[in-house]
Amino acid sequence: MDVPAHNPLKPLPPTFRELFTPKLVTLLREGYRARDFTADAFAGLTVAIVALPLAMAIAVASGLSPEKGLYTAIIGGFLISALGGSRFQIGGPAGAFIVLIAAIVERHGYDGLVLATAMAGLMMTAAGFLRLGTYVKYIPLPVTIGFTAGIAVIILASQLKELLGLDMTKEPSALAPKLAAIWDALGTINPAALAVSIGSVAIIVGLRRFRPRWPGMLIAVTGTAAFVAAVGLDVATIGSRFGDVPRTLPLPSLPEFDLAKVRAVFPDALAIALLGAIESLLSAVVADGMSGRKHRSNCELVAQGVANVASVTFGGMCATGTIARTATNVRAGAISPVSGMLHAVYLLLFLLVAAPLAAYVPLASLGGVLVVVAWNMAEKEEFAGLLRASWGDATVLMVTFLLTIFEDLTIAIAVGVTLGAFLFMHRMAENVEVATGSHLVAEDEADATGAERTGYEPAQYGSDVVVYRISGAFFFAATASVHSALDRIGERPRVFILDFSDVPLVDSTAAKSLEGFARKLERAGTHVYFAAARRSVRRTLARAGLRPPLVAYTPSVIEALKMAQVESAPRSAP
């Protein structure tokens, strides 16, 4: 019997307006009070204090000048909060992008990075409107942990030059050549730079342990900058390498490009879009877990796309949601996206008023900041736990981790997701069972009146009636094993009943294999019944050609057995 078109127990799908209304608009509709603004202003200031040294450090580590990190945190951070689908998301430059950006700049220059990021922004916006944000959650945890740990290792390796104060004319971006070049340059270690980097790490770690509410990274950067300037240590600073930091935002502009350039940076744009989507939605999930709220993933993707295009238009770099700064925002008592917007305003005020002071920041100190960031990114407990979990999870984890380090981030994610999907299908296929025997006919339950009824037994319908039950998702990976079990039927029975009551889904490959089996039974004169198939399963089977008179559908095995009895009645007549 067909199911009604509208099930009142099933919620209606969300409308376009519900999916893509920014959380800022939702909060303003609910009512925004003065005390809410006060809480957001304090939280935004707290996050800005954390973001200031990180934005410059990430830009420098990516092979760019420090102001590009500030531009990204200001423009990208403001738009991600204003247009996004999370109440607490903080956007800006992220450590996860360091490896990718450095490689793009090395191959295509800054103009290539701008083009790739703008293309990635358009991709993320399109993905959001196509409602693909929901599918990011299907990326397996071992893949996420693997590439994050790999990025942490590469970030640490990328900072060895600054931590040790090495004199290197050119530093390769690939890990193995980079380590070889660093090894050759170990004779140029600068003891003063090493002392500054160790001091920065010690200040951050010490404050995190004994004064966790204090802005350890900002204190480390400003403290070491003041010490270096006062003592006159011979260490590289932002000013000595990059010159003064501009005190204004640049005018919007995009570089000239042609089709050949678009083709050249397309793989990089795809990698930026994929990594940006993963990072931002993971950050939003973390904020949900801390606050009890729920984000709109597709709206968040659209905001990320717009923010990335705007960020590079104003001289910035890739922007995404940042887990650590978002968590800081929640812990600081943020109420709405206004806190993220104010964090960008505070950074703009710093740029306008105090940008020249950034020239005194030692690069070794920024390297120390990124060492701590890399250590926190590695998620060591999760990594060790997955290694102990199962051979499948450990394999996906290590393959993703090693490919991230030695090959390419995009390849690592693609291979990790594919390998994880194959392992999932293998596990699902192992759980598909085919059974036969009298136990397949369940005991009859009492009617609502309480009257006792006896259960049906297949024996009363004759030995030439065969009942099989498939349990589990019947899809292409399980087709071979199910087909093998069905082929073990000896003499072709008069009636064959296949119970689908425990089958949640059937794909086209599995349905087509059943169609071939049913036709084989039809040629042998066997009547085929499919019992208890849910509507979606029955639709897939019908599309594969499994329709009457080839097969008959019944609501239950009991009904199929009754029909089998009717079929046998004429044969027993004198």
Side-chain angles (χ1 to χ4, degrees):
M1 187 172 69
D2 288 340
V3 179
H6 171 61
N7 183 353
L9 298 179
K10 185 178 180 180
L12 293 173
T15 64
F16 181 90
R17 181 178 179 181
E18 291 170 337
L19 283 175
F20 295 101
T21 299
K23 277 299 176 87
L24 176 63
V25 175
T26 302
L27 267 292
L28 293 177
R29 286 174 180 167
E30 292 176 356
Y32 191 69
R33 299 160 296 187
R35 64 182 181 184
D36 295 334
F37 180 81
T38 302
D40 282 336
F42 175 78
L45 179 61
T46 303
V47 176
I49 290 172
V50 173
L52 178 60
L54 276 176
M56 293 189 293
I58 291 169
V60 172
S62 302
L64 303 172
S65 54
E67 69 270 13
K68 296 193 182 302
L70 293 175
Y71 298 159
T72 305
I74 293 168
I75 302 297
F78 186 90
L79 291 175
I80 286 171
S81 294
L83 304 178
S86 171
R87 290 174 182 249
F88 308 107
Q89 184 83 282
I90 299 296
F97 277 103
I98 290 175
V99 181
L100 188 56
I101 294 173
I104 295 172
V105 171
E106 185 179 46
R107 290 194 300 267
H108 306 292
Y110 177 68
D111 285 354
L113 173 66
V114 171
L115 179 58
T117 304
M119 291 168 59
L122 297 177
M123 290 178 189
M124 283 191 276
T125 301
F129 283 126
L130 291 173
R131 306 186 184 187
L132 300 180
T134 310
Y135 296 96
V136 174
K137 65 184 178 184
Y138 296 123
I139 295 178
L141 179 64
V143 174
T144 304
I145 299 298
F147 81 72
T148 303
I151 290 171
V153 171
I154 297 176
I155 290 175
L156 179 61
S158 72
Q159 293 308 298
L160 291 176
K161 173 187 174 183
E162 307 300 347
L163 293 171
L164 302 176
L166 300 178
D167 184 11
M168 298 172 60
T169 55
K170 181 172 177 58
E171 183 181 8
S173 59
L175 182 64
K178 180 193 296 287
L179 294 178
I182 289 173
W183 178 264
D184 292 339
L186 284 179
T188 64
I189 290 178
N190 184 339
L194 180 60
V196 169
S197 59
I198 293 175
S200 297
V201 174
I203 291 171
I204 295 170
V205 173
L207 289 177
R208 182 166 295 177
R209 179 172 182 180
F210 299 107
R211 292 290 186 273
R213 293 185 176 276
W214 291 18
M217 291 183 179
L218 185 63
I219 291 174
V221 169
T222 55
T224 53
F227 178 78
V228 167
V231 177
L233 291 180
D234 182 20
V235 297
T237 63
I238 286 177
S240 66
R241 182 171 299 179
F242 301 103
D244 291 336
V245 175
R247 300 180 65 171
T248 58
L249 285 173
L251 294 175
S253 65
L254 287 172
E256 295 182 0
F257 59 89
D258 53 23
L259 185 58
K261 191 69 173 178
V262 170
R263 288 175 177 171
V265 302
F266 180 80
D268 299 312
L270 195 61
I272 292 171
L274 182 60
L275 183 58
I278 294 172
E279 283 289 309
S280 61
L281 296 183
L282 281 177
S283 177
V285 169
V286 169
D288 289 350
M290 295 178 66
S291 63
R293 300 287 186 173
K294 188 172 178 61
H295 73 282
R296 298 174 184 140
S297 56
N298 294 299
C299 179
E300 186 65 27
L301 270 188
V302 172
Q304 296 287 334
V306 173
N308 272 277
V309 174
S311 176
V312 292
T313 302
F314 282 89
M317 51 194 281
C318 311
T320 188
T322 56
I323 296 176
R325 276 160 271 173
T326 298
T328 300
N329 190 38
V330 176
R331 286 195 294 264
I335 301 295
S336 74
V338 173
S339 63
M341 297 163 65
L342 289 175
H343 126 272
V345 173
Y346 292 136
L347 291 176
L348 176 60
L349 291 176
F350 168 82
L351 187 71
L352 298 175
V353 176
L357 297 177
Y360 296 97
V361 173
L363 296 178
S365 180
L366 295 181
V369 168
L370 289 177
V371 166
V372 176
V373 170
W375 178 260
N376 293 335
M377 280 181 64
E379 299 193 55
K380 301 162 287 297
E381 293 181 2
E382 291 275 9
F383 196 98
L386 287 171
L387 286 177
R388 296 190 298 265
S390 68
W391 70 267
D393 287 341
T395 300
V396 174
L397 175 72
M398 290 307 300
V399 167
T400 307
F401 174 69
L402 293 174
L403 284 175
T404 300
I405 292 176
F406 294 109
E407 189 58 40
D408 180 78
L409 179 62
T410 310
I411 294 175
I413 295 175
V415 172
V417 170
T418 303
L419 186 58
F422 276 114
L423 288 170
F424 170 76
M425 289 185 287
H426 174 69
R427 291 168 182 164
M428 290 289 291
E430 283 186 329
N431 288 327
V432 177
E433 298 177 353
V434 182
T436 184
S438 60
H439 68 280
L440 292 182
V441 183
E443 289 295 324
D444 213 12
E445 295 181 359
D447 290 332
T449 58
E452 292 295 327
R453 300 174 63 191
T454 57
Y456 294 101
E457 291 294 335
Q460 71 189 81
Y461 298 99
S463 58
D464 56 353
V465 176
V466 175
V467 182
Y468 271 60
R469 172 185 291 162
I470 301 176
S471 299
F474 188 22
F475 64 115
F476 65 89
T479 299
S481 60
V482 172
H483 210 284
S484 176
L486 296 178
D487 277 339
R488 286 199 292 269
I489 300 175
E491 295 183 3
R492 297 307 178 194
R494 178 175 55 83
V495 174
F496 177 79
I497 302 171
L498 194 56
D499 182 5
F500 282 88
S501 58
D502 289 338
V503 179
L505 64 90
V506 173
D507 74 353
S508 57
T509 304
K512 204 64 184 175
S513 72
L514 281 182
E515 191 256 353
F517 180 74
R519 293 200 180 277
K520 186 188 299 183
L521 291 178
E522 181 189 38
R523 289 192 294 270
T526 301
H527 296 281
V528 181
Y529 297 89
F530 286 175
R534 60 187 67 187
R535 190 175 183 181
S536 60
V537 170
R538 182 171 173 172
R539 187 183 303 116
T540 303
L541 295 173
R543 287 172 181 165
L546 290 161
R547 295 183 292 266
L550 179 62
V551 299
Y553 290 89
T554 63
S556 67
V557 173
I558 299 299
E559 292 297 324
L561 289 170
K562 287 180 179 180
M563 291 181 68
Q565 188 178 33
V566 172
E567 291 284 345
S568 64
R571 300 187 183 186
S572 61

